[in-house]
Amino acid sequence: MAPTRVAIVTAASKGIGAACARRLAEDGWKLVVFSSSKQIFELARQIDALPVQGSVASQADLETCVNAALEHGGRIDAVVNNTGHPPKGNLLKIADDQWHQGLELVFMNVVRMARLVVPRMLRQGRGAIVNISSFGACEPQEAFPVSSCFRAALGAYAKLFADRYAADGIRMNNVLPGFVETYPVDEQTMASIPMKRPASVNEIAGTVAFLLSGEAGYITGRNILVDGGLCRGF
């Protein structure tokens, strides 16, 4: 009998993170859900998951989360690295500390999580990591420059990760949502989306679930756009 699959979902208290947690629970995963918000305890109760409260920007909190997952399920098969939104502002007026905040929130959380879970995945002979990124990684947006820069760096990291660990059965991909229903979308922006609507969180979660599944076993190191056709580049 195959062991129960164990996954960690970060920033899981609401929005895309909560939708990913709910979808994976429906698919039979044993879950550890992680968030800085106390809302994580209610979500965990609803989906029978183990809640851990902490910040994705804290090395110590990530270690606590990983250790809890190992105690909870004895293994770690998958991680969904979701985060909040980094600072926005005028390109030349964003302060150094805001750039550093974006680095910690969007990029270093993935690096640190990989350091923690990959040794375990190597011993298991398999694993999958999905990072929630943004379409700004492909088409940088003046409205959110910090996110655009560090999401692009995340694309390079995933490719380097794939080069190193694909042969070991460990995959990493980035999901790049366009505009999502969790935030208001103005009429001008809506008109620029070929589908004329934002994504639902369940559509993002479905893509994540696929990338963590065996059906996506030959996909790694990729930026997967889920943007309703918004990005124009090939």
Side-chain angles (χ1 to χ4, degrees):
M1 183 176 179
T4 301
R5 299 173 298 173
V6 179
I8 296 170
V9 181
T10 70
S13 64
K14 61 182 181 179
I16 291 173
C20 289
R22 292 183 187 280
R23 172 58 188 268
L24 293 180
E26 291 172 3
D27 290 350
W29 290 78
K30 191 169 189 175
L31 292 177
V32 174
V33 289
F34 180 77
S35 173
S36 60
S37 169
K38 292 181 180 179
Q39 292 176 270
I40 199 65
F41 296 101
E42 176 59 22
L43 174 72
R45 185 191 65 77
Q46 294 173 4
I47 64 173
D48 192 26
L50 177 68
V52 178
Q53 191 171 11
S55 169
V56 296
S58 166
Q59 172 75 26
D61 289 353
L62 291 176
E63 288 178 4
T64 297
C65 179
V66 169
N67 289 335
L70 291 172
E71 291 177 10
H72 185 55
R75 56 190 294 119
I76 298 173
D77 296 283
V79 177
V80 180
N81 286 310
N82 184 44
T83 69
H85 296 281
K88 300 178 183 179
N90 182 287
L91 183 62
L92 299 184
K93 293 183 179 180
I94 298 170
D96 286 6
D97 64 330
Q98 292 177 303
W99 283 104
H100 285 288
Q101 181 183 340
L103 173 68
E104 294 289 322
L105 187 66
V106 170
F107 185 76
M108 288 307 300
N109 67 306
V110 171
V111 174
R112 290 169 178 149
M113 182 63 85
R115 288 177 186 152
L116 292 168
V117 301
V118 166
R120 172 63 62 165
M121 291 176 173
L122 284 170
R123 288 195 288 274
Q124 296 167 181
R126 68 176 188 184
I129 300 171
V130 172
N131 309 312
I132 306 300
S133 182
S134 165
F135 76 99
C138 291
E139 294 186 3
Q141 302 294 304
E142 187 178 355
F144 34 93
V146 176
S147 177
S148 294
C149 288
F150 291 121
R151 306 290 192 189
L154 195 56
Y157 184 81
K159 184 64 182 78
L160 292 170
F161 185 96
D163 291 344
R164 172 61 182 82
Y165 292 106
D168 297 304
I170 306 172
R171 301 180 295 108
M172 177 182 284
N173 292 290
N174 301 325
V175 169
L176 280 56
F179 292 93
V180 183
E181 64 183 356
T182 48
Y183 288 91
V185 181
D186 61 61
E187 291 184 8
Q188 182 178 358
T189 300
M190 196 77 77
S192 71
I193 303 170
M195 286 194 176
K196 307 304 179 189
R197 64 171 180 85
S200 72
V201 292
N202 290 332
E203 287 171 319
I204 307 301
T207 304
V208 170
F210 166 70
L211 289 171
L212 294 180
S213 74
E215 293 178 324
Y218 204 58
I219 302 174
T220 190
R222 298 301 166 197
N223 282 339
I224 308 296
L225 282 161
V226 188
D227 66 345
L230 178 64
C231 287
R232 267 61 181 174
F234 290 101

